[in-house]
Amino acid sequence: MNYSKRFVVEPGAKVKLHQVDPGYIDPDVNEKDALKETKKLCKRLRKLQASLYCEKQRSVVIVLQALDTGGKDGVINHVLGAMNPLGCRVVSFKKPGPEAAAHAYLWRVSILLPEKGEVVIFNRSHYEDVLVVKVHDLVPKDRLVKRYHQLNSFEHFLTDNDTHVVKFFLHVSKEEQLRRFKRRLDDPKRHWKISGADYKERTYWDAYTEAYEEALSRCTTERAPWFIIPSDCKWFRNLAVARIVVDYLEGLKIRCPLPAVDLEAVRKEYENAASEAVGKHG
């Protein structure tokens, strides 16, 4: 199954999340094979990222959005973490601080964009400004509507300037979220993940669903597509993201640059140096 085609939100589509099963698992895969394939894909991902870093002509932004417990940290840990930190960063977006609040809302995103050759993973992203903001009525409706157009224009600008944008919504069910909240309570090693806002925000589930549907529908484009990943099953979620990211990077046809020096001349210099070393120790 081609996951890039299976899970992409086509431009112009009207997303209805109740029609997307968050518990979906590809019937052609099982957990054992999925874990094995994900491991192979992670190795391939690391090689592709290394080529991107050497090429230094393009950059990539990977956006991860989800409701609480959707699996953003898990995807980073089990899939995207395979990339070399030399050319990869993870950026988290929480409530804007005083400095960010004093600027236009896209300012804090702009200053964290990747350099050429770099991959930056957004753990939450600029879409918080049409999600949380919409749910909690933090800006007037007319300003909110403008933001969808601004986000599309912003991503159009990025892709025009060789920064590729790939966006994932990790779709988790309300029932699975509650099970994961319980695991956090039962496991002392996960207590640090517990937030005082967890259950408060859960009461806004329907409002968040509506906000995501709006953002996914309005802001998926051929240049910067959204993918809705069923995320109740963690191993399938990881496999799906790994396949899509690898497919996307392979589609860029990344090529390492040609050497900037005369290799024959350098080879002769090496051979002379090697001969001198043998002479001294001979």
Side-chain angles (χ1 to χ4, degrees):
M1 182 185 296
N2 185 326
Y3 291 171
S4 296
K5 292 182 179 179
R6 173 68 174 77
F7 299 123
V8 72
V9 179
E10 296 290 350
K14 186 68 175 177
V15 174
K16 293 295 181 184
L17 287 175
H18 72 271
Q19 297 175 354
V20 182
D21 180 9
Y24 175 84
I25 298 173
D26 183 348
D28 294 327
V29 300
N30 57 50
E31 182 175 2
K32 182 180 178 181
D33 291 341
L35 293 174
K36 186 176 179 180
E37 183 182 348
T38 300
K39 187 175 181 179
K40 289 182 179 179
L41 288 167
C42 286
K43 290 182 179 179
R44 178 60 180 153
L45 175 59
R46 189 175 178 91
K47 290 181 179 179
L48 287 165
Q49 181 230 348
S51 296
L52 183 78
Y53 181 77
C54 294
E55 185 193 51
K56 281 196 166 31
Q57 296 298 314
R58 294 170 282 186
S59 57
V60 177
V61 171
I62 299 175
V63 171
L64 299 177
Q65 286 285 161
L67 291 164
D68 289 336
T69 78
K72 300 182 301 299
D73 292 345
V75 167
I76 292 169
N77 185 31
H78 296 291
V79 180
L80 304 179
M83 291 187 279
N84 189 335
L86 185 65
C88 180
R89 284 184 289 125
V90 177
V91 177
S92 296
F93 291 94
K94 301 183 185 296
K95 182 179 179 180
E99 184 179 19
H103 291 79
Y105 72 98
L106 284 172
W107 173 83
R108 65 175 179 154
V109 179
S110 301
I111 62 174
L112 294 169
L113 290 170
E115 300 176 359
K116 289 190 183 300
E118 189 179 28
V119 177
V120 170
I121 302 159
F122 284 175
N123 185 341
R124 301 190 188 274
S125 68
H126 39 303
Y127 282 90
E128 291 296 292
D129 290 289
V130 292
L131 294 168
V132 176
V133 164
K134 177 179 173 64
V135 169
H136 293 287
D137 295 319
L138 300 179
V139 299
K141 186 174 181 179
D142 60 337
R143 190 184 303 176
L144 181 67
V145 170
K146 290 180 181 178
R147 287 190 177 184
Y148 298 112
H149 300 291
Q150 291 164 354
L151 292 176
N152 285 333
S153 296
F154 176 65
E155 291 171 357
H156 191 101
F157 169 79
L158 293 181
T159 56
D160 259 355
N161 288 275
D162 299 315
T163 295
H164 299 267
V165 182
V166 190
K167 302 173 295 192
F168 294 97
F169 171 58
L170 308 179
H171 184 32
V172 67
S173 67
K174 195 173 185 180
E175 296 76 20
E176 178 61 20
Q177 184 192 67
L178 194 60
R179 286 191 287 268
R180 292 180 184 179
F181 278 161
K182 185 177 187 304
R183 285 197 287 272
R184 288 180 181 179
L185 283 171
D186 293 344
D187 184 355
K189 293 181 180 179
R190 301 186 188 191
H191 284 177
W192 67 273
K193 289 188 173 184
I194 298 173
S195 164
D198 285 346
Y199 296 97
K200 179 182 177 182
E201 290 301 293
R202 183 175 162 83
T203 64
Y204 294 98
W205 185 276
D206 291 343
Y208 272 109
T209 297
E210 181 183 334
Y212 268 108
E213 289 175 343
E214 191 81 6
L216 294 167
S217 300
R218 287 178 174 265
C219 298
T220 191
T221 64
E222 290 186 6
R223 291 183 174 216
W226 272 108
F227 297 89
I228 301 176
I229 307 299
S231 297
D232 278 6
C233 175
K234 294 180 180 181
W235 59 259
F236 180 69
R237 173 201 70 200
N238 294 340
L239 174 63
V241 172
R243 276 198 195 178
I244 292 169
V245 173
V246 167
D247 285 350
Y248 191 90
L249 291 180
E250 286 182 337
L252 297 182
K253 301 189 182 304
I254 304 164
R255 296 287 183 269
C256 288
L258 296 173
V261 298
D262 185 338
L263 288 182
E264 287 304 313
V266 173
R267 191 180 301 278
K268 288 179 181 178
E269 290 178 356
Y270 162 75
E271 291 171 351
N272 290 337
S275 297
E276 289 177 5
V278 170
K280 287 182 180 179
H281 297 288

